[in-house]
Amino acid sequence: MVCLGNICRSPLADGILRFKAKHENLDWIIDSAGTSHWHQGENPDARATTCAKKYGVDISGLVARQFTKNDFDEFDKIYAMDTSNYRDVLKLAADEADKQKVEMILNLVEPGKNKSVPDPYFGGEDGFDEVYKMLDEACEKIIEQLK
Ligand code: 4NP
Protein backbone atom coordinates (compact mmCIF):
# COMPACT_ATOMS: atom_id res chain seq x y z
CA MET A 1 0.00 0.00 0.00
CA VAL A 2 1.62 3.24 -1.12
CA CYS A 3 0.73 6.91 -0.55
CA LEU A 4 2.79 10.08 -0.18
CA GLY A 5 3.61 10.31 3.53
CA ASN A 6 2.79 6.79 4.76
CA ILE A 7 1.01 8.26 7.76
CA CYS A 8 -2.61 8.61 6.59
CA ARG A 9 -3.97 6.64 3.62
CA SER A 10 -1.54 3.74 3.18
CA PRO A 11 -1.40 2.82 6.90
CA LEU A 12 -5.21 2.69 6.87
CA ALA A 13 -5.18 0.46 3.77
CA ASP A 14 -2.42 -1.65 5.33
CA GLY A 15 -4.35 -2.10 8.60
CA ILE A 16 -7.67 -2.82 6.91
CA LEU A 17 -6.19 -5.45 4.60
CA ARG A 18 -4.27 -7.09 7.48
CA PHE A 19 -7.50 -7.20 9.47
CA LYS A 20 -9.44 -8.82 6.62
CA ALA A 21 -6.64 -11.22 5.70
CA LYS A 22 -6.41 -12.40 9.31
CA HIS A 23 -10.17 -12.93 9.39
CA GLU A 24 -9.86 -15.12 6.27
CA ASN A 25 -6.83 -16.99 7.65
CA LEU A 26 -4.73 -15.74 4.75
CA ASP A 27 -1.01 -15.88 5.32
CA TRP A 28 -0.19 -12.71 3.36
CA ILE A 29 2.69 -10.32 3.93
CA ILE A 30 1.13 -6.85 3.94
CA ASP A 31 3.01 -3.59 4.33
CA SER A 32 2.85 0.08 3.42
CA ALA A 33 5.25 2.83 2.40
CA GLY A 34 5.34 6.44 1.23
CA THR A 35 6.82 7.79 -1.97
CA SER A 36 8.37 10.55 0.19
CA HIS A 37 10.69 10.19 3.19
CA TRP A 38 9.08 13.11 4.99
CA HIS A 39 7.54 11.14 7.85
CA GLN A 40 10.00 8.23 7.96
CA GLY A 41 10.08 6.63 11.42
CA GLU A 42 6.79 8.18 12.56
CA ASN A 43 3.65 6.36 13.63
CA PRO A 44 0.45 7.05 11.68
CA ASP A 45 -1.31 10.39 12.02
CA ALA A 46 -3.43 10.33 15.23
CA ARG A 47 -6.57 11.03 13.18
CA ALA A 48 -5.97 7.89 11.10
CA THR A 49 -5.29 5.78 14.21
CA THR A 50 -8.46 7.06 15.92
CA CYS A 51 -10.53 6.44 12.80
CA ALA A 52 -9.28 2.86 12.38
CA LYS A 53 -9.79 2.11 16.06
CA LYS A 54 -13.53 2.81 15.67
CA TYR A 55 -13.68 -0.18 13.33
CA GLY A 56 -11.54 -2.41 15.53
CA VAL A 57 -8.42 -1.96 13.41
CA ASP A 58 -5.20 -1.12 15.28
CA ILE A 59 -2.63 0.75 13.18
CA SER A 60 -0.89 2.48 16.11
CA GLY A 61 2.25 0.34 15.83
CA LEU A 62 2.94 0.98 12.14
CA VAL A 63 6.08 2.98 11.33
CA ALA A 64 6.41 5.12 8.19
CA ARG A 65 9.08 4.29 5.65
CA GLN A 66 9.89 5.27 2.09
CA PHE A 67 9.03 3.02 -0.85
CA THR A 68 12.15 1.64 -2.54
CA LYS A 69 12.81 -0.34 -5.72
CA ASN A 70 13.49 -3.41 -3.54
CA ASP A 71 9.78 -3.46 -2.74
CA PHE A 72 9.21 -4.78 -6.25
CA ASP A 73 11.16 -7.90 -5.26
CA GLU A 74 9.39 -8.29 -1.92
CA PHE A 75 5.77 -7.88 -3.05
CA ASP A 76 3.53 -9.34 -5.76
CA LYS A 77 1.04 -6.47 -5.72
CA ILE A 78 1.56 -2.75 -5.16
CA TYR A 79 -1.49 -0.53 -4.67
CA ALA A 80 -1.13 3.22 -5.17
CA MET A 81 -3.54 5.61 -3.46
CA ASP A 82 -3.41 8.36 -6.10
CA THR A 83 -2.14 9.11 -9.59
CA SER A 84 0.93 10.92 -8.29
CA ASN A 85 1.95 7.95 -6.11
CA TYR A 86 1.25 5.68 -9.08
CA ARG A 87 3.62 7.62 -11.33
CA ASP A 88 6.33 7.86 -8.67
CA VAL A 89 6.23 4.11 -8.00
CA LEU A 90 6.36 3.31 -11.72
CA LYS A 91 9.51 5.44 -12.04
CA LEU A 92 11.29 2.93 -9.78
CA ALA A 93 10.18 -0.14 -11.76
CA ALA A 94 13.08 -2.08 -13.28
CA ASP A 95 11.09 -3.83 -16.00
CA GLU A 96 7.65 -4.63 -17.38
CA ALA A 97 7.05 -7.33 -14.76
CA ASP A 98 7.56 -4.72 -12.01
CA LYS A 99 5.18 -2.31 -13.74
CA GLN A 100 2.49 -4.97 -13.97
CA LYS A 101 2.45 -5.23 -10.17
CA VAL A 102 1.27 -1.64 -9.74
CA GLU A 103 -2.43 -0.77 -9.61
CA MET A 104 -4.51 2.22 -8.54
CA ILE A 105 -6.31 0.85 -5.48
CA LEU A 106 -9.72 2.31 -6.36
CA ASN A 107 -9.65 0.50 -9.71
CA LEU A 108 -10.59 -2.57 -7.67
CA VAL A 109 -13.93 -0.88 -7.00
CA GLU A 110 -14.36 1.05 -10.26
CA PRO A 111 -12.18 -0.66 -12.86
CA GLY A 112 -10.38 1.56 -15.32
CA LYS A 113 -11.52 4.85 -13.76
CA ASN A 114 -8.12 5.61 -12.20
CA LYS A 115 -9.74 7.48 -9.29
CA SER A 116 -7.55 8.74 -6.46
CA VAL A 117 -8.11 8.30 -2.74
CA PRO A 118 -8.37 11.94 -1.54
CA ASP A 119 -5.49 13.08 0.67
CA PRO A 120 -7.03 13.69 4.13
CA TYR A 121 -3.87 15.21 5.68
CA PHE A 122 -4.83 18.89 5.33
CA GLY A 123 -8.53 18.38 6.11
CA GLY A 124 -10.58 17.45 9.17
CA GLU A 125 -11.56 14.20 10.84
CA ASP A 126 -14.43 13.60 8.39
CA GLY A 127 -11.95 13.09 5.58
CA PHE A 128 -10.52 10.08 7.36
CA ASP A 129 -13.90 8.39 7.65
CA GLU A 130 -14.55 8.94 3.95
CA VAL A 131 -11.13 7.51 3.10
CA TYR A 132 -11.66 4.57 5.46
CA LYS A 133 -14.89 3.59 3.71
CA MET A 134 -13.28 3.78 0.26
CA LEU A 135 -10.32 1.67 1.38
CA ASP A 136 -12.53 -0.84 3.17
CA GLU A 137 -14.45 -1.45 -0.05
CA ALA A 138 -11.26 -1.73 -2.11
CA CYS A 139 -9.64 -4.13 0.40
CA GLU A 140 -12.73 -6.32 0.33
CA LYS A 141 -12.26 -6.62 -3.45
CA ILE A 142 -8.57 -7.45 -2.99
CA ILE A 143 -9.55 -10.31 -0.67
CA GLU A 144 -12.16 -11.57 -3.16
CA GLN A 145 -9.73 -11.34 -6.05
CA LEU A 146 -6.63 -12.86 -4.49
CA LYS A 147 -7.73 -15.30 -1.80
P1 4NP B 1 -0.62 10.39 3.21
O1 4NP B 1 -0.95 11.90 3.65
O2 4NP B 1 0.14 10.50 1.91
O3 4NP B 1 -1.98 9.79 3.03
O4 4NP B 1 0.19 9.79 4.32
C1 4NP B 1 0.00 12.93 3.72
C2 4NP B 1 0.82 13.03 4.81
C3 4NP B 1 1.71 14.06 4.90
C4 4NP B 1 1.79 15.01 3.89
C5 4NP B 1 0.97 14.90 2.77
C6 4NP B 1 0.08 13.84 2.70
N1 4NP B 1 2.68 16.10 4.00
O5 4NP B 1 2.64 17.01 3.14
O6 4NP B 1 3.51 16.14 4.93
Side-chain angles (χ1 to χ4, degrees), residues 30-96:
I30 298 161
D31 200 10
S32 59
T35 54
S36 77
H37 60 82
W38 301 337
H39 295 276
Q40 185 128 352
E42 293 177 23
N43 294 123
D45 187 290
R47 294 166 296 172
T49 304
T50 302
C51 173
K53 200 173 171 187
K54 284 195 291 190
Y55 301 92
V57 174
D58 181 11
I59 61 167
S60 63
L62 297 179
V63 179
R65 68 176 182 91
Q66 187 169 24
F67 182 86
T68 75
K69 58 182 172 46
N70 292 337
D71 285 310
F72 284 106
D73 302 322
E74 300 294 328
F75 297 96
D76 301 313
K77 293 276 182 186
I78 295 162
Y79 296 104
M81 300 296 127
D82 66 30
T83 47
S84 165
N85 313 146
Y86 181 78
R87 279 194 297 268
D88 288 340
V89 166
L90 280 185
K91 281 181 204 157
L92 296 172
D95 53 28
E96 194 54 37

Side-chain angles (χ1 to χ4, degrees), residues 3-10 38-39 119-122:
C3 63
L4 176 61
N6 193 207
I7 54 167
C8 297
R9 292 164 294 175
S10 61
W38 301 337
H39 295 276
D119 184 348
Y121 185 66
F122 294 106

